[in-house]
Amino acid sequence: MTEVIKVKLQLRFLFVLTFIRKSRHVRLLTPQPFALTGRAAQLSVVCEEELTRHMLMALQGIEGTYIICRGDKHAELQLSSMLAVDDTLRVQLLRLLPIANAYLQLRHESQKPTSDRLARAFSTGLSEVLASYMGLISMLYTKYMSNPRLFTCLDILVALSNWEILLPLFLKLVCVFERLKGMQIFNMLCSIYWSTANQFVQQFLYALLRPMLYIFHDCLHNWLVYGRLVDPGFQ
């Protein structure tokens, strides 16, 4: 019995040695990094929280890593081509980008110099409108910073639902006004103001008209009090 046990122990020992020798030649496969496939392959995947922050910056006319500015003459903010996002989120981003681009263009137009007094007054009114918009964006950014996980691009879209109409509309008006003089701008604004039924749009149309009306009131005052009749546009 003792010899049998010895033989068994020797066989086990030989088996262990053989296994150890073979294990030296075994190659351990390094773990492969996680990679996306299909539509998102080779793209940067960004969480919605980070994209919300970048969109809030874009709505202030500031480009970033994932929302970039392209174009020479008329720069536009666009989504980076190497950005992978959910289709629903992409739709929300694409709806917000026209607001950001309209603000960017309107800010540029409001800073253009002009010798026409009424046109300068229009630019002043436009600056007031943009200041109201920026006040809302600042409030939204504060909400985002207080709780980033609970504040999404959909919340921004809901908050800017009226501005989604207003800013692109004002951008179209500014493009038309480029070839008009101050008095023509005033007449057209008055016509649009009295014909619109949207109270939100009407409110900010009046904000455009108010600085221009101050000029007319000043001209009327000079005429009635001092007998001086001055061209309101100094044309």
Side-chain angles (χ1 to χ4, degrees):
M1 289 294 293
T2 306
E3 291 181 358
V4 173
I5 293 172
K6 286 182 179 181
V7 171
K8 287 183 178 180
L9 289 174
Q10 288 175 355
L11 289 173
R12 287 182 181 179
F13 181 71
L14 289 172
F15 175 77
V16 171
L17 284 176
T18 304
F19 177 78
I20 292 173
R21 287 174 181 174
K22 288 183 178 181
S23 64
R24 291 177 182 176
H25 302 285
V26 175
R27 292 183 179 179
L28 296 176
L29 295 176
T30 56
Q32 296 295 323
F34 177 76
L36 294 171
T37 58
R39 178 186 171 196
Q42 308 300 324
L43 301 179
S44 300
V45 182
V46 186
C47 65
E48 185 173 2
E49 179 183 330
E50 183 68 8
L51 273 178
T52 301
R53 184 177 70 85
H54 279 263
M55 178 50 70
L56 285 168
M57 299 299 290
L59 289 167
Q60 301 174 60
I62 304 170
E63 66 174 329
T65 306
Y66 309 111
I67 301 176
I68 56 178
C69 201
R70 290 179 177 172
D72 298 327
K73 187 176 180 180
H74 297 290
E76 285 191 353
L77 292 164
Q78 301 176 7
L79 293 179
S80 170
S81 57
M82 298 303 292
L83 177 64
V85 293
D86 177 77
D87 288 339
T88 303
L89 180 57
R90 181 178 289 273
V91 170
Q92 295 170 10
L93 294 172
L94 292 177
R95 282 186 62 184
L96 287 169
L97 278 176
I99 304 175
N101 284 317
Y103 168 74
L104 196 64
Q105 295 296 328
L106 287 171
R107 185 180 65 182
H108 174 71
E109 294 295 330
S110 68
Q111 296 170 352
K112 282 186 176 180
T114 177
S115 59
D116 190 319
R117 192 180 177 192
L118 283 173
R120 287 202 308 270
F122 171 76
S123 296
T124 301
L126 184 57
S127 297
E128 291 179 7
V129 173
L130 297 180
S132 298
Y133 164 80
M134 282 301 297
L136 177 57
I137 297 299
S138 298
M139 184 186 71
L140 294 176
Y141 195 82
T142 302
K143 285 185 177 180
Y144 167 80
M145 292 301 293
S146 63
N147 201 335
R149 293 184 179 180
L150 296 180
F151 194 82
T152 65
C153 287
L154 182 59
D155 295 317
I156 301 174
L157 195 56
V158 171
L160 297 180
S161 57
N162 287 322
W163 292 93
E164 187 180 5
I165 300 170
L166 185 72
L167 289 187
L169 171 64
F170 278 14
L171 182 58
K172 289 180 180 179
L173 290 178
V174 167
C175 292
V176 173
F177 293 165
E178 277 184 346
R179 54 182 179 271
L180 301 180
K181 294 184 178 180
M183 198 65 194
Q184 294 172 315
I185 294 173
F186 178 79
N187 290 334
M188 187 172 288
L189 278 177
C190 287
S191 176
I192 297 170
Y193 175 81
W194 290 113
S195 62
T196 185
N198 188 313
Q199 292 185 352
F200 184 82
V201 174
Q202 197 174 50
Q203 171 190 348
F204 286 100
L205 280 171
Y206 183 74
L208 294 178
L209 284 167
R210 187 167 50 236
M212 305 176 85
L213 289 172
Y214 289 158
I215 295 176
F216 282 104
H217 291 162
D218 183 58
C219 290
L220 183 61
H221 177 266
N222 286 329
W223 180 42
L224 294 176
V225 176
Y226 303 108
R228 296 196 300 265
L229 187 59
V230 182
D231 183 353
F234 291 147
Q235 297 170 1

